């Protein structure tokens, strides 16, 4: 069903001004342009107007107006998305949540926090850490992404392997529905069997069901100690085999990241050349891939036991010298490499960034298959990711490929990768969402009956289809 | 919207016989009666027919027929529900999942298992434990409840406080929709941002959206050691205050159960008189309440550190002598008391069993409020539960109350308890579901806009409203 949308009239623009204040209604084309792209490939869509409300009531008033006049509305967080979920593909209104930037409460008795969706993830992490508390979801873009966007895409990051993803920390949400009602989706409780779980349904729905205006998160005590190992592997495939073996040995790492040598080399170069920062770690030529393994807890002896178990596992494979990061500086340096892989890879070529996930025992077959498909279609890929979760980021490099080939044959190669992923028991996205970039591939992972159910759910929330149209399905 | 339903004709009954085999179509009234009640108060509804299919395809054929002829269908697991979710309130067909009793695969490489919904929870726990693996959801009825029912109600149990509830272990579901389509809701992966999360939506939907026919669970490594403490408190309110304080001290117990003295006394009596088993633990008269605190892990030193932290916390309150269970027998005995509270309390009176949940720091206010409301309405209550999660079971005793008072005034008292719960940031059910027993109280916890969304979701799955009608909302 292709919906038609209206452009906001000058009368409606003036109503917007009354709702949010004239200074928060952006019509200047240059400024609007900033709200038309994110970190996904080179997509760009110009909104007709950008609104910067600061209260749920203002958003409610905007939604009622847009719902009445069939104007498309796209909610937007920090603009760091990797699937185009926040892009205004039907133009219309972008609602930026940048003014929803307050941490409203950190409840140290109940280990909960109430925040607005425009708080930057790292700001929140640091605020709770100052009280000895831990908010584990930790996307690489944590320095600029918003918590609301993390929720919309169900963001993960390296700690998810032990501590879970964003959806595992959300207790309750204040949401403005497309029709303008303001609801709380649940209650501020750790367990809830009270009706359909609207909180979980919102999480990962990519801003298509409602606009989040408050979030209640649960928190944990901050683990007091951690150790970090960097293990180089002679082959990609063996690095991937080691991953499942670590869990089978009974260890539950707080981070288990995989990256190819090419990712390490590019990132070191990027950090040195572009960011003017040196990295003390060497990535020798004869190694195919690396595992960065973090263990955490409150007891030194326990950590050493776990580290020994990990060593016993990896030594069954062809590995180089294991780097045991001892100082905070060494640890930071390794994590800096890992965190900068995505910008580094993108600094040297336009990329298509995939975010597939499979049962972790199937990663060896996946990595081999991806490289074979790359050879077949003639593209290079740089692979890395949260492999402890079976979550692999595949950056497909445009480099010297022709535009037409990039838009057609390369997409066919990606469809082949997705088909392989589904055959291996996996699916399209582990933490970046579908947005517009993966939408054409949804039928590979999803039966028509599933898509019909999702459309039905969408209609129950958004009868006129005005909120974030043409995303996901 | 009140729907009308049809009784299956003799022609349809013969079609059922063709689908599942004549021996699996139960029309005998005595046998049908067994499928009309569960563990909820004294409810009973007679189904017109009970079907015992063994494949998803058979259920699909049944659903298509019932959907075509507007016949109500109620799916049923082990019949241990505490909110009436599996009761055929509109008669019609009960689909028993008792023949879906196979553990299809335990995948030791990926730490996953694929099971049918009619597997008894304890059978599954033991099967994975034999491989060193851990399935933590652990309802008190684990010896007879089914995994499918656990999913439908989002069951929890004592381990949930550290390890999460049923929804935290479900990766993927095979489901027969009310219209007969058979779908998988997701993929066998640990992270998933691929469209709306239908898996999470099914979990806790109390059999109203589809009938689960296969479940993929994730598993953990089994923790190797545990310690168990029983702490007696002079006052109920202080026991409840100690709960949040334990978490604030940075400890994450693998069990944190609360029970009133009356629960302990009744259970000891029940075990000795009815079950002919003695319990070595004493529950002295001058103590109001008990906390049963379990700590687990793989490292003795770590456990002792945590136990010391717990002791330091509880000693700030008026407590009796702490029992440190050292032998397996002592531990089993304490857990036996805890597990038998529900049957014990119900052995001495008809009860209404509530399952409220609040932020754990608000438990002290809740327990005081419940007792005040009990005094006002003249009913006794026995309180216990998974207090580490803020989840309190309130068994309201009929004892000598008149039937009319039980059905009217006592319900008003319950509504007052729920109102208090919501005021304390909590909600109606932590793990038992709403079913029919809590349905009248839903407006206390839920805005009309939320109920409308749930009805819209229901319509998207079940346009004719035939599956488990009149539950939840």
């Amino acid at each position: 069903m292709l919906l038609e949308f209206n452009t906001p009239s000058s009368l409606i623009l003036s109503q917007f001004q009354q709702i949010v204040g004239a200074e928060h209604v952006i019509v200047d084309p240059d400024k609007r342009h900033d709200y038309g792209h994110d970190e996904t490939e080179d997509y760009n869509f110009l909104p007709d107007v950008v609104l910067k409300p600061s209260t749920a009531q203002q958003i409610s008033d905007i939604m009622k107006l847009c719902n009445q006049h069939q104007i498309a509305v796209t909610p937007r967080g920090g603009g760091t998305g990797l699937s185009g979920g926040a892009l205004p593909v039907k133009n219309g209104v972008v609602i930026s949540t940048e003014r929803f930037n307050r941490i409203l409460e950190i409840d140290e008795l109940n280990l909960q926090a109430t925040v607005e969706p425009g708080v930057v993830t790292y700001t929140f992490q640091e605020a709770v850490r100052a009280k000895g508390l831990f908010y584990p979801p930790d996307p690489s873009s944590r320095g600029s992404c918003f918590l609301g966007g993390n929720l919309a895409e169900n963001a993960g990051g390296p700690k998810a392997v032990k501590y879970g993803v964003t959806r595992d920390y959300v207790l309750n949400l204040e949401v403005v529905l497309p029709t303008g009602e303001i609801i709380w989706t649940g209650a501020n409780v750790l367990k809830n069997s009270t009706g359909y779980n609207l909180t979980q349904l919102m999480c990962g729905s990519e801003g298509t069901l409602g606009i989040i205006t408050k979030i209640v998160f649960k928190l944990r005590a901050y683990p007091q100690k951690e150790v970090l190992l960097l293990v180089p592997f002679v082959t990609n495939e063996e690095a991937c085999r080691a991953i499942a073996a670590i869990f089978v040995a009974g260890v539950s790492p707080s981070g288990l990241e995989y990256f190819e040598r090419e990712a390490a080399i590019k990132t070191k170069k990027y950090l040195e050349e572009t960011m003017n920062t040196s990295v003390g770690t060497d990535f020798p030529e004869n190694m195919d891939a690396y595992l960065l393994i973090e263990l955490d807890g409150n007891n030194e002896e326990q950590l050493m036991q776990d580290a020994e178990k990990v060593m016993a596992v990896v030594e069954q494979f062809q590995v180089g010298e294991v780097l045991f990061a001892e100082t905070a500086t060494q640890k930071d340096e390794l994590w800096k490499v890992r965190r900068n892989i995505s910008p580094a890879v993108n600094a040297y070529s336009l990329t298509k960034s995939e975010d597939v996930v499979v049962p972790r025992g199937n990663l060896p077959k996946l990595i081999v298959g991806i490289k074979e498909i790359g050879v077949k279609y003639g593209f290079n890929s740089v692979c890395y990711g949260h492999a402890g979760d079976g979550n692999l980021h595949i950056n497909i490099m445009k480099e010297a490929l022709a535009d037409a080939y990039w838009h057609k044959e390369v997409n066919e190669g990606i469809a082949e990768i997705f088909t392989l992923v589904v055959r291996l028991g996996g699916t399209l996205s582990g933490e970046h969402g579908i947005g517009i970039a993966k939408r054409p591939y949804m039928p590979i992972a999803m039966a028509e009956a599933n898509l019909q159910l999702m459309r039905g759910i969408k209609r129950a929330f958004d009868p006129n289809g005005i909120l974030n149209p043409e995303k996901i399905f």
Side-chain angles (χ1 to χ4, degrees), chain A residues 129-414:
Chain A
R129 188 167 184 170
K131 296 177 185 294
L133 299 175
F134 185 28
Y135 174 71
D138 190 35
S140 287
S141 56
R142 65 180 184 181
S144 52
C145 62
F146 289 0
L147 290 167
N150 294 174
L151 257 159
E153 305 299 327
N154 190 25
K159 303 281 188 189
V161 66
K162 180 168 180 178
Y163 293 110
V165 295
T166 306
R167 76 161 66 255
D168 298 306
Y169 290 86
V170 188
L171 299 181
N172 201 0
L173 296 169
E174 186 189 71
V175 171
V176 181
L177 298 177
T179 43
E181 289 99 337
I182 304 172
I183 66 165
W184 280 96
T185 55
N188 299 356
V189 293
L190 298 169
K191 298 164 82 174
N192 197 336
S193 290
T194 311
Y196 301 158
N197 199 316
L198 302 180
T199 311
Q200 289 294 319
L201 186 60
M202 284 301 303
C203 190
S205 65
E206 307 199 35
T208 63
L209 299 180
I211 300 182
I212 295 163
T213 47
K214 283 198 192 80
I215 309 166
V216 181
F217 283 119
K218 71 173 176 184
L219 303 167
R220 308 177 62 100
Y222 209 96
Q224 287 158 20
K225 301 171 201 291
E226 93 252 334
V227 299
L228 187 62
L229 309 170
L230 181 71
V231 188
F233 285 77
V234 173
T235 77
N236 239 333
E237 191 265 353
E238 286 201 357
C240 287
R241 271 170 50 208
I243 294 161
I246 289 169
F247 292 87
V248 170
V251 182
S252 177
S254 55
L256 209 176
E257 297 292 311
Y258 158 93
F259 47 91
E260 289 191 84
R261 182 176 170 281
E262 190 59 24
I265 300 298
K266 277 204 162 63
T267 306
K268 195 167 156 128
K269 188 175 166 207
Y270 168 77
L271 287 171
E272 285 166 1
E273 291 180 0
T274 310
M275 307 297 284
N276 278 319
T277 167
S278 71
V279 171
T281 311
D282 279 327
F283 298 99
E285 294 239 348
N286 57 343
M287 294 291 158
D288 247 21
Y290 296 84
L291 295 186
L292 186 62
I293 305 166
E294 188 191 78
L295 305 164
D296 76 359
N298 295 326
N299 182 279
E300 197 89 33
E301 188 184 287
Q302 168 78 70
L303 287 184
M304 288 307 121
Q305 275 177 11
D306 285 346
E308 282 164 23
K309 281 189 197 170
V310 169
M311 288 301 294
V313 169
V314 299
E315 281 167 359
Q316 296 164 29
F317 301 91
Q318 304 172 74
V319 294
E321 196 178 341
V322 177
L323 174 63
F324 196 102
E326 296 189 59
T327 65
T329 311
Q330 276 181 315
K331 289 175 192 170
D332 286 349
E333 212 157 65
L334 289 174
W335 279 119
K336 188 164 69 182
V337 172
R338 171 58 190 90
R339 282 188 191 287
N340 279 284
I341 295 175
S342 177
V345 169
N346 284 282
Y348 296 104
S349 169
L350 186 62
T351 69
K352 293 181 193 276
S353 162
E354 308 311 334
D355 168 45
V356 302
V357 57
V358 295
R360 66 170 88 91
N362 291 340
L363 281 169
K365 285 180 190 152
L366 178 62
I367 195 76
V368 170
I370 289 166
K371 297 301 171 185
E372 284 171 2
I373 292 166
V375 169
K376 175 175 165 189
Y377 284 88
F379 57 72
N380 290 318
S381 63
V382 180
C383 296
Y384 60 96
H386 315 301
D389 288 316
N391 186 199
L392 196 70
H393 298 329
I394 311 164
N395 274 26
I396 293 165
M397 315 292 284
K398 183 165 185 293
E399 295 171 333
L401 296 173
D403 283 1
Y405 191 86
W406 178 245
H407 290 300
K408 184 166 182 292
E409 284 81 357
V410 170
N411 286 350
E412 291 166 11
I414 291 170

